[in-house]
Amino acid sequence: MESVAKKGSTVFEVIKALIIAVILSLVLVLLAAFALKLFNIKDGVIPVINQVIKGVSILVGCLVAVRHKQNTWLKGIVIGILYIALAFVIFSLLDGEFSFGLHILNDVVLGSITGLVSGILAGLKK
């Protein structure tokens, strides 16, 4: 029986992109926390920094993992939405509480749009 996520498949590309994006997010969050503490940056910029980190993570994940040129826009949307869901679970576990609200819908919309653009860019790269 063949594996569903065999190397080179669409599922493999999505899983690889998610792993890359989540690892990059964790690293960037640590760097951002260090920079916030070191430079005494106000708390008001934290939501902006978080959105930038999410966007950069989705973009890098798509650019690195998406190889096949078919439906890259759709793969990007799927990666964006799954990344937002996975990041929500991981960071909620690290925070110790799950808080649901309108911000989750905002993240899903921005994640899918970022994924769409990232997927298109991944399809255009050589």
Side-chain angles (χ1 to χ4, degrees), residues 54-108:
K54 291 173 190 174
V56 167
S57 297
I58 293 170
L59 176 66
V60 171
C62 284
L63 289 177
V64 171
V66 175
R67 297 280 182 218
H68 294 97
K69 304 297 183 197
Q70 294 177 323
N71 296 326
T72 56
W73 62 273
L74 183 58
K75 292 176 193 176
I77 292 172
V78 170
I79 290 167
I81 292 171
L82 290 177
Y83 164 79
I84 293 298
L86 187 59
F88 172 74
V89 170
I90 290 171
F91 287 109
S92 292
L93 286 172
L94 290 174
D95 190 33
E97 71 174 276
F98 286 86
S99 64
F100 297 98
L102 194 56
H103 70 281
I104 296 172
L105 179 61
N106 181 41
D107 282 351
V108 169

Side-chain angles (χ1 to χ4, degrees), residues 14-29 49-62 75-91 107-108 110-112 114-115 118:
V14 170
I15 292 171
K16 184 177 175 183
L18 285 173
I19 292 169
I20 291 168
V22 168
I23 290 171
L24 181 61
S25 285
L26 291 170
V27 170
L28 290 176
V29 165
I49 291 172
N50 286 339
Q51 290 301 331
V52 170
I53 288 172
K54 291 173 190 174
V56 167
S57 297
I58 293 170
L59 176 66
V60 171
C62 284
K75 292 176 193 176
I77 292 172
V78 170
I79 290 167
I81 292 171
L82 290 177
Y83 164 79
I84 293 298
L86 187 59
F88 172 74
V89 170
I90 290 171
F91 287 109
D107 282 351
V108 169
L110 289 175
S112 60
T114 304
S118 301

